[in-house]
Amino acid sequence: MRLASAHDAPDTGHEADFRRLATAVAKYWVCKRGPHHAYESLECLGGNGYTELFPMARRLREAPVNAVWEGSGNVIALDVLRALAKQPAAAEAFLAEMSTTLGTDERYDAQFRRMHALLEAASSDPGSAAGLARQLIEALALTLQAQVLLTHAPAPVATAFLAGRLDPTTRGMEYGTLPAEVDLGALVDRA
Ligand SMILES: Cc1cc2nc3c(=O)[nH]c(=O)nc-3n(C[C@H](O)[C@H](O)[C@H](O)COP(=O)(O)OP(=O)(O)OC[C@H]3O[C@@H](n4cnc5c(N)ncnc54)[C@H](O)[C@@H]3O)c2cc1C
């Protein structure tokens, strides 16, 4: 919704610069995360989820096509590098927005520093930037998600994201690996 609102704004200024980079980042991340999310959702429904009588099997099968017809991972990664090279204001707008939540949580601050270092490395050496591109986009996506949640979401939701996705001491590779500090009751009540 944050990105959608940026697309409603005029074609110049902060919103236009922000959406130039954030659109590619969101597209990459949604396409990459989608199939795994569909797989986990299918598993929640057990055998019913797997059969063709339920819609989940089709959702899982169709999920990878987003990254084929909306631009593959590599092609979006190259688009992000193109934005950095041709429109420096896009990175500046992105950083300015991400800076607004600095100081609210040390896990976010550490993520911001990681993202910033990757951004500087990719911008200062375009020759080797392609090798860093996927790492960079992932860092941009996670920072953007955390920033939006810290700004707009109820505290238990933002905390769950910071603990489960950003903090290297508590995050897991899979769904359902949230640490004990997360208020699961609040998350379930919200759903
Ligand atoms: C169901 C479906 C419907 C479609 N409908 C339409 C349509 O209506 N109109 C239309 O125009 N197209 C349509 N397409 C085509 C779609 O746009 C192309 O599939 C898409 O552009 C990818 O091209 P490609 O399949 O030739 O793969 P390729 O471009 O050959 O990509 C294959 C792999 O190579 C990688 N790669 C490609 N270039 C680079 C690069 N420069 N650097 C690094 N890696 C690279 C990609 O990341 C990818 O992993 C459709 C596709 C599908 C699956």
Side-chain angles (χ1 to χ4, degrees), residues 156-157 160 178-191:
V157 177
L178 294 170
E181 69 179 273
V182 170
D183 185 353
L184 294 177
L187 300 186
V188 173
D189 286 346
R190 195 160 176 260

Side-chain angles (χ1 to χ4, degrees), residues 49-124:
Y50 183 74
T51 69
E52 293 294 332
L53 294 175
F54 278 63
M56 275 315 304
R58 181 163 185 217
R59 299 250 162 86
L60 176 64
R61 195 174 62 243
E62 294 289 330
V65 81
N66 289 320
V68 179
W69 65 13
E70 289 291 333
S72 69
N74 284 356
V75 172
I76 299 180
L78 292 174
D79 185 45
V80 164
L81 297 183
R82 193 162 44 240
L84 296 182
K86 291 196 169 167
Q87 202 174 322
E92 285 160 21
F94 194 93
L95 276 175
E97 184 141 338
M98 297 308 104
S99 303
T100 58
T101 33
L102 279 174
T104 51
D105 189 291
E106 63 185 31
R107 293 167 291 193
Y108 179 80
D109 293 356
Q111 172 64 23
F112 182 94
R113 287 194 295 274
R114 267 197 299 277
M115 173 207 66
H116 198 198
L118 282 164
L119 203 49
E120 291 213 316
S123 304
S124 63

